[in-house]
Amino acid sequence: MKNNDAIKLLAALTFCLWFAITPVNAADLGQAKAAGLVGELMNGYLGLVDGNAPADVKALVDSINAQRRAEYQRIAAKNGVPAEEVAKLTAQKVIGQAAGGHFVQTPSGWKRR
């Protein structure tokens, strides 16, 4: 994929992804991230930082990951690239923009920004 194409893909994905999450989910996600229960994975999905997170947090992660998966697949099909590539490019951007205090996955495990 050409660099310019990757930038366009990321811009489209970021726009669609953030607007695909309902405001209630966005608020809940922000709270879960701030509490250190949820973080961004290197594969473009959310992960549980704390395996003992409450059931509603686990359900939120599952719901948002399903929305992300669908959006990755839609964008991938539109651009003729694998969904995993879309997810990975998004992960790089989202992790790079993670707020202070939020967890992100690194090759050596979870790291608080």
Side-chain angles (χ1 to χ4, degrees):
M1 175 182 294
K2 295 179 184 174
N3 193 28
N4 193 26
D5 292 340
I7 292 169
K8 288 179 185 176
L9 180 63
L10 275 175
L13 175 62
T14 301
F15 177 82
C16 293
L17 189 59
W18 294 123
F19 288 100
I21 300 170
T22 64
V24 171
N25 282 351
D28 292 344
L29 177 58
Q31 293 169 348
K33 284 183 172 183
L37 299 171
V38 174
E40 293 290 342
L41 295 170
M42 293 175 11
N43 66 1
Y45 294 95
L46 293 172
L48 293 172
V49 175
D50 181 351
N52 295 319
D56 61 328
V57 172
K58 291 177 182 179
L60 175 67
V61 168
D62 290 343
S63 173
I64 292 174
N65 281 342
Q67 292 173 48
R68 286 185 180 190
R69 185 175 300 105
E71 192 62 19
Y72 295 154
Q73 290 170 344
R74 186 190 70 75
I75 292 169
K78 183 177 178 182
N79 291 281
V81 297
E84 294 79 17
E85 185 175 343
V86 175
K88 190 173 181 179
L89 289 169
T90 302
Q92 292 170 359
K93 184 161 183 89
V94 172
I95 287 172
Q97 295 177 345
H102 289 189
F103 280 92
V104 296
Q105 185 184 43
T106 68
S108 59
W110 290 111
K111 177 182 176 184
R112 188 180 290 263
R113 287 281 187 160

